[in-house]
Amino acid sequence: MGNVQYVPCLSVGFDEDVNGRDAPLLPAAGWPVGFSPAGANSAALHVVRVQAKKRRRALSSARGFQSSTMSLYRNSAWFLKGMTEFTRTAFLSASKRFVEKDLEVSMAGRSFMITGANSGIGKATAMAIAKRGGTIHMVCRNKDKAEEARADIVKETGNKEVYVHILDLSETKKVWEFAEAFKRKYKALNVLINNAGSIMSQRDMNAEGLEKSFATNVLGVYILTKSLIPLLEKSTDPRVITVSSGGMLVQKLRTGNLQSDRGRYDGTMVYAQHKRQQVVMTEQLAKTHTNVHFSVMHPGWVDTPAVANAMPDFHRSMKDSLRTPEQGADTVVWLAVSDAATTNPSGRFYQDRKMVSTHLPLAWTYSSPLEEQKLMSLLEDLAKTFQPH
């Protein structure tokens, strides 16, 4: 229960209801002994109501101020952190401590599934792994763009073991169908890289009635990963890497509005919340599937088509400071191929080949184990709803 405000003869507290409004809460003990609402003087009750209303307004204002102040702090702290850690210059500085031999490996005989592999970080990741002899399964939405990217990768690397699979991760039933078909066709998958993501400028729904960016960024990732875990577990040195975003640092896990159907829709903040959910998902899956090494990472601020389209003002103002796709993909590749990566515990968050915190200092973004389990339960229930029988 929230802070309790005491007024003559009764005790009423206020907490937020599901819409974020102040809702009255009665104490567990109910009315004080000897007090009868029916027999109370009407004038006294009027005073009580007025006082309670004033306190409710004051509490609401205080909460609003606290919330806006915390949002301002989080955003300011995030931007300052970004300017010092997420830029191209920051990558060049961090790379001075990289161990070159970590990536001097052959991936011949190992298979990698990469979603969103036709451009940006996904394509750069596919290119780097193909150069090391790995078999690449490109999972893309657009066939023409995917085939063009495949041709580039084969030409650049000389590796013809590059395969295109067409899938829109926002189409929930098709994610299930794709994963089940892949398991029937292929006998091994060593590494799954969840890279594809979506930032929507306005709320949109998929054919199953789910908000599209949630379907792509969270539920699609959950279904693809969970469905492929049995295949991964049968393979040597199995790994799952999810490309998250530093934007999640400004978000606390919220499970009460997964479809973003309440309040004003802010695509950037919705995306950041989804990236927080990906971090929690990774941590939880690592606990329950100990035979697979899970990791989640932030690539920094990267110059990709997705950033240019979704955040044009940010892209324009920061263009000279943005990392190249290859720099953004570096930690993904390191997590996917290096022996060093799996010496670290499973379920951790990375930036520039180093484990880092998933929270800004003093930002109040920690969630309870109960809330984290609630997210996983909700995802499992939703996933089963669309599972083909």
Side-chain angles (χ1 to χ4, degrees), residues 263-318:
R264 184 177 67 87
Y265 187 89
D266 182 331
T268 304
M269 286 298 101
V270 168
Y271 178 79
Q273 174 62 210
H274 291 164
K275 293 301 175 178
R276 169 63 70 184
Q277 291 168 12
Q278 287 181 349
V279 169
V280 172
M281 190 194 311
T282 298
E283 293 169 344
Q284 296 303 310
L285 289 173
K287 293 176 183 178
T288 53
H289 300 282
T290 55
N291 292 330
V292 179
H293 191 273
F294 289 85
S295 52
V296 58
M297 58 80 68
H298 170 45
W301 290 342
V302 184
D303 189 356
T304 66
V307 171
N309 293 331
M311 296 182 285
D313 292 340
F314 174 79
H315 182 266
R316 187 166 48 251
S317 62
M318 294 294 296

Side-chain angles (χ1 to χ4, degrees), residues 144-256:
D144 291 340
K145 291 181 179 179
E147 292 291 355
E148 184 180 342
R150 179 192 178 276
D152 290 344
I153 294 168
V154 171
K155 182 179 179 180
E156 178 75 19
T157 67
N159 184 348
K160 295 182 180 179
E161 296 295 305
V162 181
Y163 303 96
V164 168
H165 307 268
I166 303 305
L167 173 67
D168 186 338
L169 280 167
S170 74
E171 298 177 355
T172 308
K173 289 180 182 177
K174 290 184 178 179
V175 177
W176 269 120
E177 292 167 358
F178 166 78
E180 294 303 315
F182 189 91
K183 287 190 293 186
R184 289 192 295 269
K185 185 173 182 179
Y186 297 95
K187 295 181 179 180
L189 178 66
N190 301 99
V191 182
L192 168 62
I193 300 174
N194 293 307
N195 166 72
S198 172
I199 304 178
M200 308 289 290
S201 59
Q202 59 185 22
R203 189 172 183 271
D204 195 10
M205 309 294 285
N206 70 3
E208 290 93 359
L210 299 172
E211 195 270 323
K212 268 192 174 181
S213 62
F214 169 76
T216 302
N217 300 331
V218 184
L219 189 58
V221 170
Y222 179 82
I223 291 172
L224 186 63
T225 303
K226 284 281 286 187
S227 182
L228 292 175
I229 281 176
L231 182 59
L232 285 159
E233 288 179 328
K234 290 192 297 184
S235 308
T236 306
D237 186 17
R239 309 182 190 191
V240 175
I241 300 115
T242 298
V243 179
S244 182
S245 166
M248 69 91 192
L249 292 167
V250 304
Q251 289 284 311
K252 181 178 180 179
L253 176 66
R254 306 287 184 190
T255 59

Side-chain angles (χ1 to χ4, degrees), residues 337-349:
V337 308
S338 75
D339 291 333
T342 54
T343 63
N344 293 328
S346 182
R348 298 300 178 88
F349 182 64

